[in-house]
Amino acid sequence: MASICMLLLLLLFLFCTSDVCSSVVSSSTDAVLIVVDHSGKGDYKTIQAAINAVNSNNSELVYISIKPGIYREKIVIPADKPFITLSGTAGTNTTITWNDGGDIFDSPTVSVMASDFVARYLTIQNEYGTKGKGIALRVSADRAAFYGCRILSYQDTLLDDYGRHYYYNCYIEGATDFICGNAASLFESCQLNSLAKNLGTITAQHRNSPSENTGFIFLGGKITGIDGGTVLGRPWGSFSRVIYARTYMSNAISPYGWHDWDDPSKERTVYYGEYMCYGPGANRSKRVRWSRELSRDESAPFLNKTIIGGRSWLRPIPTHFKTHVK
């Protein structure tokens, strides 16, 4: 009997660490509601205090509603607290900001370490400026989604570290490698704004092997910025993979489009593609020869949520709430 019980416990553990368990939890329309208001009219005055109040090894949806205002905090969502949503009311009136630089893993204003995380209608900002690396958002977890968020810094703005991620209708701003990491991420209908005056780089994707199913996919959306000073990407990893599809490219994009980071050997192994992009920056007549103009068939695997397995874990906004008990 004891051995049967142990087997059942093992199966339950395996089930609840899989996408299946994520799908079961995320399909729920009920969530625990926690209200953050810096004026003192909510459950907590700070966002981190609300996150700290979530039980370790959490297994239910927690919806943290953040009232408008500027929250000067450095926030961590720890790995043992999955299924948390942070939601403002509009990306322009609910801001999380900090001022830190240096190490890319220590400087982020917001660090997401827990799976099944959602952020809605927030500005996430690092005010470190042009002095060096200052990460606004670090995402080091699987199954994370961001809707209507503004992510702002200068260098390494978004450390899209690892896991499967979805960004929808977000505004991401920076100058140097401002989307970097080795996640498998779909950026749909997002605006990328370059602050670079000379050589700027939007992406530094870190795929190290052709067997890794990672890469940055930009579907729809637009690229804006100062004329002629920015490339679409450069390879942090030897097998860096970035695709832009149906994206408007302004004159911010340099005619040659991509950079090899002064390592010509990577030109043979990177996968940099464009498909049906348009605008003055999308002219491929002077593109580097090692980038690709994708055909319809070549682009097809990247034009949906398959690369992130989104159908199994992207979840709707909860419709029923229960009160958080302190």
Side-chain angles (χ1 to χ4, degrees):
M1 177 65 75
S3 61
I4 294 175
C5 290
M6 288 298 294
L7 178 59
L8 289 173
L9 286 172
L10 177 60
L11 290 173
L12 180 62
F13 172 79
L14 293 173
F15 177 81
C16 287
T17 53
S18 68
D19 277 355
V20 177
C21 184
S22 170
S23 179
V24 170
V25 175
S26 65
S27 66
S28 171
T29 58
D30 297 328
V32 175
L33 176 63
I34 302 176
V35 178
V36 175
D37 189 336
H38 61 82
S39 70
K41 296 180 181 179
D43 297 306
Y44 299 95
K45 289 185 177 181
T46 68
I47 300 166
Q48 190 65 58
I51 294 167
N52 293 345
V54 177
N55 292 330
S56 295
N57 303 312
N58 173 59
S59 61
E60 58 184 342
L61 299 182
V62 177
Y63 194 93
I64 299 176
S65 176
I66 306 168
K67 297 300 182 183
I70 297 175
Y71 295 82
R72 299 192 180 278
E73 303 184 53
K74 192 169 183 175
I75 291 169
V76 176
I77 297 92
D80 64 348
K81 297 188 178 185
F83 304 112
I84 288 177
T85 293
L86 298 182
S87 180
T89 56
T92 55
N93 69 12
T94 310
T95 298
I96 307 169
T97 186
W98 198 249
N99 184 343
D100 199 359
D103 185 86
I104 60 174
F105 297 108
D106 294 334
S107 64
T109 300
V110 174
S111 295
V112 179
M113 315 300 289
S115 66
D116 300 284
F117 173 82
V118 176
R120 295 181 181 273
Y121 313 123
L122 297 170
T123 290
I124 301 171
Q125 180 178 29
N126 192 327
E127 298 177 294
Y128 193 65
T130 61
K131 297 169 284 188
K133 300 172 183 177
I135 289 78
L137 172 63
R138 171 189 177 187
V139 190
S140 298
D142 196 21
R143 302 186 299 269
F146 299 82
Y147 301 89
C149 290
R150 300 170 70 242
I151 307 167
L152 315 175
S153 188
Y154 189 82
Q155 182 172 348
D156 298 353
T157 302
L158 169 58
L159 176 55
D160 203 44
D161 189 21
Y162 68 83
R164 294 166 292 172
H165 309 148
Y166 180 59
Y167 300 84
Y168 179 76
N169 195 30
C170 291
Y171 176 92
I172 306 170
E173 182 175 272
T176 305
D177 304 333
F178 62 93
I179 303 174
C180 56
N182 194 23
S185 294
L186 175 62
F187 298 80
E188 187 171 3
S189 301
C190 292
Q191 180 177 353
L192 315 176
N193 187 58
S194 174
L195 301 174
K197 296 180 180 179
N198 296 307
L199 176 61
T201 48
I202 296 175
T203 65
Q205 208 279 331
H206 202 190
R207 184 168 174 255
N208 292 303
S209 163
S211 64
E212 292 181 285
N213 190 27
T214 62
F216 299 157
I217 315 302
F218 298 90
L219 178 58
K222 60 183 178 180
I223 300 170
T224 55
I226 299 170
D227 286 359
T230 297
V231 294
L232 298 167
R234 60 180 180 174
W236 189 4
S238 296
F239 290 84
S240 180
R241 180 164 64 175
V242 181
I243 292 117
Y244 293 85
R246 299 172 182 155
T247 299
Y248 172 82
M249 299 181 179
S250 72
N251 280 324
I253 298 305
S254 169
Y256 56 86
W258 305 85
H259 195 276
D260 64 8
W261 214 331
D262 300 322
D263 185 353
S265 68
K266 292 180 179 177
E267 295 176 7
R268 300 190 300 271
T269 53
V270 299
Y271 191 100
Y272 288 159
E274 300 167 55
Y275 174 69
M276 291 187 67
C277 295
Y278 60 102
N283 186 336
R284 288 190 48 82
S285 62
K286 296 182 180 180
R287 284 291 195 264
V288 294
R289 64 183 182 277
W290 40 273
S291 69
R292 307 168 185 234
E293 184 172 9
L294 301 180
S295 68
R296 180 177 178 179
D297 288 344
E298 289 171 327
S299 67
F302 306 111
L303 300 184
N304 51 54
K305 299 180 178 66
T306 300
I307 191 171
I308 61 170
R311 291 183 180 273
S312 69
W313 59 270
L314 289 172
R315 62 181 185 261
I317 300 174
T319 56
H320 299 91
F321 297 95
K322 50 187 177 181
T323 305
H324 167 67
V325 179
K326 294 185 182 181

